[in-house]
Amino acid sequence: MRMPREFQRGHKARLSDLTAGTDLYVGVQISAPGLTFDISCFGLDADERLSDDRYFVFYNQPKSPEEAIQLLGPQAGDTESFRVTLEKIPPHIRKLSFTATIDGAGQMSQINPGYLRIVAGGEEVARYAFDGSEFSTERAVMLGDLYFKDVWRFAAVGQGFDGGLEALLKNFGGEVLEEESAPAQDPQQQSGAAPGFAPPAQAAPPPPFAVPSGPSAPVTPAAPAPAPAAPAPQPAPQGFAPPPGATPPPAPPGATPPPPAPQTHAAPTVVAPMTPPGGTVPPPAPAPAPYGHPGQQPPYGPPHGQTPPPGHPQPQVPQTPPPGYGQQPPPFGQVPGQGAPHGTPQGTAQAAGVAGALQLYKEKPAGQRWTLQNSKLIRADLGTGGEPVLARQGSMVLYQGKVDFSYKGAGFMGRIVGNATGQEMQLMRCTGQGQVFFAENSAHLHPVELQGDAICVSAENVLAFDESLRYEVRRIDGHGIPGGALFTMQFQGTGTVVVKTHGKPVVLPVTPTTFVDSNAVVAWSAAAQVIVSSQVRMRRGAYPGATGEGVNLQFRAAPGNFVVVQPYEV
């Protein structure tokens, strides 16, 4: 008898290299003091989604429709076992993921040494051994996969989720309902002869087919829910008025009008009035003009209170509506509430001609290393500090003085690491005496000055930084993340890094309950601990598709740490 091939986490192999058989036995052995485990098999499509819930094989659904996947129960020393007939698997199922979840409190770091093994023709051909040292706070793990990529293959996965079964189902596009007491099923008797695919027969007979052993006490079924009442038209949501002129749908004959919705807060929600004081509704405010294009201007004429020159008609002054109703946003750079005309600073006389109209957009005075000209344009003074600047290639929009631009390569290893982690930065080096202006795609810019401390920023959100800063790729361990981990850039030292965002970001203090979408996070304190967690509430038995919230990051840190989030998902 040959020895089985030993796998470690992340190892893969073609099944044809392990066995020529297609009738397989998959056994899982997992245990921990005081913990109970549910072991399941997910039949996934080419997009690795549970698009057909009939291929979720677990204690309450012990086989797939054509019996290509069957739950056999504990036997031959295994906590749970399955029979997989590869030639019966339909074409739309491209992966079988074997998982284990903790039923109740606990975490995977508590488990004893266990394994997932594959047996063909009564002979063990592959084994993936694991123990609690490979995990931390996970409550659900993906142990191994049988997947089709040109041929059927096996992969030892060993990655998991802190959120347990709900997070696991969400990862596969499923949902879970509230827990309900499942009625006891009548066990079926296994045939006396062991099938050829199973491991060698044991001295003790196997347990009943497809039913995990349970407690001896009878399970009390949950009380049946009352029958739903006849549908009735629902009132408008509390706190919001219906649209003007809308008529609620008539109630069916004989139906009792529904009671008003209960208050959900201690104080009722205040509804904004649909009509301002005075009884007239002003026209809606025009959309703000994009940067670089002047917005709608008031009618030409002298400022309010001056007499127009002879021969010019008196301009019509529109009635000013109450504050907050239909007013046009102030021009770019003007503080709300200021009455100065467009292009005229507060308290100064309007200059004549083009110079007066562009007065507001004059260059900010020099004197600092980095100066924001506006929210989307920044200037670096190379003469201040004498240090070169590294910037994203193509981000220079203008420069003044004698400035040299050269290519900044990452080196051979740097390119390999950048390509493998997605944190490659295509940089240019700016040296000389002068000022360089940087911008990119009208992104909002935020200079962050470091004084010997560190900050983590994704390479996608870095525009420019002082060459004096040290930077490196930092790994975020990601149990359950496709690919095994997330990566970011860490900047440390004394200098400035310019961070760019889509829209105006928000800076939040890190608390034990701070969770951020991995596609929206921009930067965070380098001292913060980042943990991958997916804990979204699900509904059992329904699998309509994914919610789009695949990976969340939980931040843990001492007081004083922060995380920066943009109103945009990359």
Side-chain angles (χ1 to χ4, degrees):
M1 177 183 294
R2 67 174 183 176
M3 296 296 294
R5 179 171 172 180
E6 298 287 342
F7 283 74
Q8 296 181 358
R9 183 167 66 177
H11 287 184
K12 303 175 182 179
R14 293 182 297 181
L15 279 178
S16 59
D17 294 339
L18 304 175
T19 178
T22 59
D23 197 358
L24 307 178
Y25 171 96
V26 179
V28 176
Q29 206 285 325
I30 185 170
S31 62
L35 298 184
T36 303
F37 296 88
D38 292 329
I39 302 173
S40 311
C41 176
F42 290 82
L44 310 176
D45 59 20
D47 296 324
E48 299 188 3
R49 316 302 290 176
L50 185 63
S51 56
D52 189 341
D53 60 355
R54 298 175 302 168
Y55 290 88
F56 176 28
V57 177
F58 65 115
Y59 63 88
N60 209 27
Q61 184 169 262
K63 59 184 178 180
S64 60
E66 68 293 302
E67 300 185 358
I69 314 165
Q70 302 178 50
L71 185 71
L72 302 180
Q75 59 178 296
D78 298 333
T79 309
E80 190 62 271
S81 60
F82 300 83
R83 180 180 183 179
V84 177
T85 309
L86 296 178
E87 53 198 18
K88 289 185 179 181
I89 296 178
H92 70 280
I93 300 299
R94 299 286 83 180
K95 176 182 284 191
L96 306 180
S97 181
F98 297 91
T99 66
T101 59
I102 297 177
D103 185 7
Q107 55 190 28
M108 288 295 175
S109 60
Q110 302 173 245
I111 64 174
N112 300 321
Y115 59 79
L116 180 147
R117 63 173 179 161
I118 299 177
V119 178
E123 181 180 0
E124 183 175 337
V125 296
R127 175 182 288 247
Y128 163 48
F130 53 83
D131 57 38
S133 64
E134 298 186 21
F135 308 105
S136 57
T137 58
E138 298 91 337
R139 296 179 54 244
V141 293
M142 299 179 293
L143 298 174
D145 293 339
L146 292 175
Y147 65 101
F148 188 87
K149 185 179 180 182
D150 300 328
V151 295
W152 282 101
R153 303 169 186 259
F154 170 69
V157 181
Q159 296 181 354
F161 298 87
D162 290 353
L165 175 63
E166 294 181 351
L168 182 65
L169 281 170
K170 177 179 179 291
N171 180 69
F172 294 141
E175 296 184 356
V176 60
L177 288 170
E178 299 294 336
E179 292 291 341
E180 299 177 357
S181 299
Q185 297 184 2
D186 295 332
Q188 302 177 7
Q189 298 297 328
Q190 280 190 321
S191 60
F197 66 87
Q202 304 295 315
F209 175 79
V211 179
S213 58
S216 57
V219 179
T220 304
Q234 297 296 324
Q238 181 183 1
F240 295 90
T247 304
T256 304
Q263 296 272 347
T264 56
H265 302 281
T269 304
V270 179
V271 182
M274 300 302 295
T275 305
T280 60
V281 180
Y291 175 70
H293 297 272
Q296 296 183 1
Q297 303 294 325
Y300 286 101
H304 180 69
Q306 297 184 13
T307 305
H312 290 266
Q314 176 70 32
Q316 297 181 0
V317 181
Q319 295 183 357
T320 302
Y325 289 90
Q327 292 187 355
Q328 179 180 345
F332 178 80
Q334 181 175 326
V335 179
Q338 292 182 354
H342 179 75
T344 304
Q346 176 75 10
T348 61
Q350 181 179 4
V354 177
L358 300 179
Q359 179 71 22
L360 191 63
Y361 308 117
K362 289 184 62 176
E363 179 185 2
K364 299 295 189 297
Q368 296 182 350
R369 170 73 165 175
W370 296 89
T371 306
L372 273 174
Q373 300 302 301
N374 53 56
S375 63
K376 302 176 182 179
L377 183 67
I378 193 169
R379 182 190 65 212
D381 192 339
L382 300 181
T384 303
E387 289 285 340
V389 168
L390 299 180
R392 186 179 294 273
Q393 294 179 12
S395 61
M396 185 274 294
V397 295
L398 69 96
Y399 71 95
Q400 296 174 321
K402 186 176 181 180
V403 180
D404 294 325
F405 300 91
S406 59
Y407 172 74
K408 173 64 176 178
F412 178 76
M413 289 303 300
R415 289 196 300 270
I416 292 178
V417 173
N419 290 331
T421 62
Q423 297 298 308
E424 184 180 13
M425 294 189 295
Q426 302 289 339
L427 299 175
M428 61 181 179
R429 191 167 185 260
C430 309
T431 58
Q433 297 291 324
Q435 297 85 34
V436 185
F437 293 75
F438 300 103
E440 187 175 64
N441 297 331
S442 292
H444 289 247
L445 305 181
H446 316 274
V448 179
E449 184 177 358
L450 301 179
Q451 298 289 344
D453 46 354
I455 186 174
C456 293
V457 188
S458 174
E460 178 66 25
N461 296 101
V462 177
L463 180 71
F465 55 95
D466 289 323
E467 193 179 43
S468 58
L469 292 176
R470 302 187 304 275
Y471 59 98
E472 61 182 358
V473 177
R474 178 177 173 182
R475 173 189 174 96
I476 305 171
D477 288 331
H479 299 296
I481 302 178
L486 294 176
F487 298 88
T488 186
M489 297 296 298
Q490 177 173 304
F491 292 83
Q492 188 172 10
T494 301
T496 299
V497 55
V498 180
V499 179
K500 62 187 183 76
T501 63
H502 293 268
K504 187 175 181 180
V506 60
V507 180
L508 298 174
V510 173
T511 69
T513 56
T514 301
F515 295 82
V516 183
D517 191 308
S518 62
N519 294 321
V521 66
V522 174
W524 62 86
S525 306
Q529 180 186 9
V530 187
I531 302 173
V532 177
S533 178
S534 297
Q535 300 185 16
V536 181
R537 193 171 185 84
M538 305 288 174
R539 294 179 299 141
R540 177 178 288 274
Y543 313 98
T547 62
E549 305 297 335
V551 179
N552 296 325
L553 301 181
Q554 180 182 8
F555 291 85
R556 299 176 182 174
N561 289 275
F562 63 90
V563 59
V564 182
V565 183
Q566 64 184 358
Y568 180 88
E569 293 190 2
V570 179

